[in-house]
Amino acid sequence: MSQSRKTLLLGAVAYDPKVVTIWEGFRDFFAAHELDFDVVLFTNYERQVLAHLDGAVDVAWNSPLAWLQFEAAAARRGRAAAAIAMRDSDRDLSSYIVVREGGGVGSLAELRGKTIAVGASDSPQATMIPLQLLREQGLQPGRDVEVRRFDVLVGKHGDHIGGERDAARALMAGEVAAACMIDGNHLLFAREGVLPAGSTKVLAQTPPYDHCNFSVFAELQDDPRLRRFVELLLGMSYADAAVRPLMDLEGLKQWLPGRISGYAQLERACAATSALAPLLALAEGLP
Amino acid sequence: MSDAERLVVALGPLGLDDGGEVLLSWRLRTVAAGAQVEVISGRPELAQQGRPWCRALGHGFVEARAHGFVLCKGPAHAARWLGAERAGAVDAHAQGAVVAHPPAHWALAPRGALVEAGTQPLHFALSDRELVWSDDAATLYAQGAAAQWDPATAIPWHERPALAPEIEDAVVQVMTFLIENETAALLVPARFVAQLHPHFREVMQLLALQVADEARHIEVFTRRAALVRGSLGTTSAGGQASLRTLVEEPDFAIAALLLAVLGEGSFLSLLWFLDEHGPDPITRTVARLAARDEARHVAFGLAHLQRHLQHDPALLPRLAAAIHRRHDALAHSAGLNADVFDALVVLAAGSLDPDAIARGHAAVVALAADMDRGRQRRLARLGFGADEAAALSALHTRNFM
Ligand SMILES: [Fe+2]
Ligand SMILES: [Fe+2]
């Protein structure tokens, strides 16, 4: 925590206009509970991680990839990172590799030589984690399986779901043999009619993994303002009409303590593709 | 919990993307938070849909099964309705059904509905029961709804009039005057209905119906005016000045007095006059049908002012002051368009023959006296003494409305 700053500053990425509504609302909630709190919005996670490393914010609402970037860059400076809270809906997600029903692909092995559609190149859920599943099943993306990317808003780490929807459309149009998406979007696209009921099947699913968290430098966890921040988050109730609309917008029913046990698959994906290198190089250049 | 104790929800051929989620949500209402429920269906990917579905709704996903999954019901649904409020009651006659001050956060909630806490407030300027409510509103609305007539079929449009030119001119001029007045009579309730808290449903409906009535009046008067000549008569600065004071009146009670009780009340006499003296069946019919609607508008104005006065006797002198104020504001305007006065005389005369004109003139003088008596009678019903009612009626605009 910056010693010269009284206000607890949170960084968040504005992947959608609703982010402004959400954090303005939470700021009011914290103000009502006498926590001096403000928000800095970033256009992309890399900028947010660099600012966080630089001390420009005290806590960052990080995507899983941004968490790994922050953790790795902090480690290079001899500092530990910690995840202090997350949504109930950030735990135990799964990504699906989806094929057309009757499309002639009955197993992962049968994807060899075919094309698979993924989301944005920096999307953990729609690209990095499912491609890692292929690797671990002996299929090297780009060599054994052709990868078609649907890059929408790179830098948002897949928070914008447009890329996944485009991948699902390409699957139904017969342009690709399979498409990758997070479980919730698989259900969403089915309801939207992008994936008509009964027209697809889940060829493979990843083991459960975790999504966003509030990240901090570990040594700051005991700062009274951060402790109060976590206490207020965990105390937020879905029965409270003042915050329920914000919780609905942010997609949670309850805030939970942070945990970092759910990022192993993404970590292996980053290792396999050197995905952390560009951020780490940028971080080297910081004073 | 053993399998035997669990509720099992069978979705048949459905998944959670084609209606099964509706069935499941419905069945989940019957169990308490914390209960385990097994969900089965013929869809092979049911468990894969169940995991994100549970996460999004705050249910625990316990495990995947061969034909579905097991969930643990979460508390979110119940939490959402904690602190919800019943917005009065649907039947206006029930105890506490229509509250004195419906809060802004009930917003557009139908009266009697359960309103989620945290609903964004919507501010309505007219949200005071004693200001707007009338127990008669429901009855008047029902009568009005039943009495709607179809302008296309209720008027004998096929009986095209072939009148002497001066009589047709007089009809066109009177119709032009009526249209202008009906326009003011449409705008006033239209403005107030948009400011009225929807909790007062029957009043809202009645005002809306009144707007629709005036729209029909404008339609049939316009059609009759243009039927033969294809063009309209004159509109005077004085007449418009009078109507302007109605349209600009911001106070609901004062507007009701000036428009409904005094204006539309006087108009009733005028429409009956046209029913009696109208030279052709179309003119007589449009006047008669409009008069029927106007009688309802007057009745509502009187009813809610009477109720308002019961609760707030200080309103009476405010109403008197408003009549004086309007009179002063219009003192230097010409009042009734002279063309309209002349046209009424010619209509009642039936020709330009001097003897006939004498009769027509006497009829219009009688009309003015009839209007005056009606206003005095209605003012007396509001609680004014006979002398004051007579004095106030005399101050009413010469433009009739
Ligand atoms: Fe009318
Ligand atoms: Fe009217």
Side-chain angles (χ1 to χ4, degrees), chain A residues 175-204:
Chain A
E175 297 166 20
V176 295
C180 302
M181 61 201 72
I182 197 166
D183 52 8
N185 284 340
H186 176 249
L187 185 57
L188 175 71
F189 299 156
R191 287 193 189 156
E192 289 176 348
V194 172
L195 302 176
S199 67
T200 61
K201 70 178 179 201
V202 177
L203 184 68

Side-chain angles (χ1 to χ4, degrees), chain A:
Chain A
M1 182 129 347
S2 167
Q3 296 307 311
S4 57
R5 187 166 56 225
K6 192 161 99 340
T7 306
L8 181 71
L9 275 189
L10 173 127
V13 169
Y15 62 90
D16 184 284
K18 75 177 181 183
V19 173
V20 175
T21 312
I22 291 170
W23 287 105
E24 287 278 339
F26 283 144
R27 194 179 60 157
D28 291 347
F29 171 81
F30 290 126
H33 291 82
E34 282 159 21
L35 176 65
D36 188 353
F37 172 91
D38 207 351
V39 179
V40 182
L41 294 180
F42 294 88
T43 62
N44 64 83
Y45 279 107
E46 283 69 28
R47 182 70 53 207
Q48 172 167 296
V49 169
L50 293 171
H52 193 182
L53 289 166
D54 206 16
V57 297
D58 305 307
V59 54
W61 182 221
N62 272 338
S63 77
L65 177 58
W67 155 254
L68 293 181
Q69 289 170 330
F70 176 67
E71 186 190 36
R76 290 213 174 175
R77 296 164 179 224
R79 301 178 76 179
I84 52 173
M86 66 204 313
R87 298 171 299 190
D88 54 358
S89 52
D90 281 315
R91 293 189 171 188
D92 299 326
L93 288 75
S94 177
S95 290
Y96 295 165
I97 297 176
V98 181
V99 295
R100 286 185 303 281
E101 183 67 57
V105 180
S107 69
L108 279 182
E110 288 171 32
L111 280 179
R112 190 175 292 274
K114 297 200 163 67
T115 304
I116 186 167
V118 299
S121 54
D122 60 3
S123 169
Q125 57 273 12
T127 306
M128 301 175 73
I129 292 175
L131 290 184
Q132 183 59 21
L133 177 74
L134 288 186
R135 264 180 223 109
E136 292 173 1
Q137 298 291 320
L139 292 168
Q140 186 61 37
R143 186 192 69 197
D144 304 322
V145 179
E146 194 172 331
V147 176
R148 187 159 159 208
R149 291 183 198 289
F150 288 86
D151 263 328
V152 174
L153 298 179
V154 171
K156 309 284 198 274
H157 295 187
D159 287 354
H160 190 284
I161 66 171
E164 279 172 82
R165 192 182 278 111
D166 291 345
R169 287 205 180 100
L171 174 68
M172 291 321 293
E175 297 166 20
V176 295
C180 302
M181 61 201 72
I182 197 166
D183 52 8
N185 284 340
H186 176 249
L187 185 57
L188 175 71
F189 299 156
R191 287 193 189 156
E192 289 176 348
V194 172
L195 302 176
S199 67
T200 61
K201 70 178 179 201
V202 177
L203 184 68
Q205 71 182 77
T206 68
Y209 59 83
D210 287 353
H211 211 256
C212 301
N213 72 52
F214 288 110
S215 318
V216 298
F217 284 115
E219 75 265 21
L220 300 177
Q221 282 181 96
D222 289 332
D223 180 281
R225 281 169 298 166
L226 266 180
R227 290 172 70 127
R228 181 71 179 139
F229 172 70
V230 173
E231 180 183 38
L232 287 173
L233 276 181
L234 300 189
M236 216 181 263
S237 166
Y238 195 67
D240 179 355
V243 292
R244 188 168 57 242
L246 304 171
M247 296 175 87
D248 281 339
L249 274 180
E250 185 57 49
L252 78 155
K253 301 287 183 281
Q254 196 187 344
W255 294 103
L256 296 175
R259 70 177 190 192
I260 58 172
S261 56
Y263 301 117
Q265 294 177 73
L266 183 60
E267 228 173 332
R268 298 201 297 275
C270 287
T273 58
S274 305
L276 299 180
L279 186 282
L280 291 174
L282 283 172
E284 296 293 321
L286 285 183

